[in-house]
Amino acid sequence: MDAAPIADAVAVGTSAGAPGRFVLSARGNHFVSDSRLADGEAVHAGELLLSALASCALANIEHNAASDGLELDALTARASHVRGTDDPTVYDRTLLELEIHGPGVRDAEELATKFVATCPIYNTIRRGSGVELRLNGRGLAPVASE
């Protein structure tokens, strides 16, 4: 039995006659995304992935610091990736840089460890768990890359 999804997002194709522009919705929130191949100024899909990773890190660390009674003076997450050099359909490297100021070194390391142990976004990227593709309600066999 499949587990119910805990997150759901919907993207609607080209809006307002602007090729490469998309309207996305999640829980009643709407925002615009542009194709990296278009000239638009909105965020691109890869940037959304990095933003999700950084946002999860910030929320997780902030929550755990409060639960542990630790005061945060500053918290920053920077995420980046490098498109595959041999295979441009993957990212060769994803980097998440955290800056945690306030707690001592040991407590900051513990907050980072708790994040790694519990964040599904971080762990999905780290493990490369795969994805299921459905077209018009039917599953498709995965297409092998060359």
Side-chain angles (χ1 to χ4, degrees), residues 5-119:
I6 61 168
D8 186 28
V10 176
V12 177
T14 304
S15 68
R21 172 141 297 177
F22 311 102
V23 176
L24 296 96
S25 298
R27 295 182 303 105
N29 300 293
H30 311 290
F31 55 99
V32 176
S33 175
D34 286 332
S35 165
R36 70 179 177 83
L37 304 175
D39 290 333
E41 74 254 8
V43 296
H44 303 158
E47 294 166 331
L48 290 168
L49 178 64
L50 294 173
S51 296
L53 177 61
S55 178
C56 190
L58 295 175
N60 185 295
I61 291 167
E62 185 178 79
H63 169 78
N64 283 315
S67 294
D68 294 348
L70 301 172
E71 188 171 326
L72 294 173
D73 295 334
L75 177 60
T76 304
R78 289 182 190 86
S80 60
H81 52 216
V82 175
R83 187 173 287 277
T85 51
D86 294 332
D87 178 359
T89 68
V90 299
Y91 295 113
D92 280 343
R93 175 175 180 252
T94 299
L95 173 63
L96 178 62
E97 298 175 275
L98 301 174
E99 292 183 23
I100 304 172
H101 298 281
V105 172
R106 201 172 286 170
D107 285 333
E109 288 175 352
E110 183 62 26
L111 289 170
T113 299
K114 287 179 180 180
F115 158 70
V116 167
T118 59
C119 177

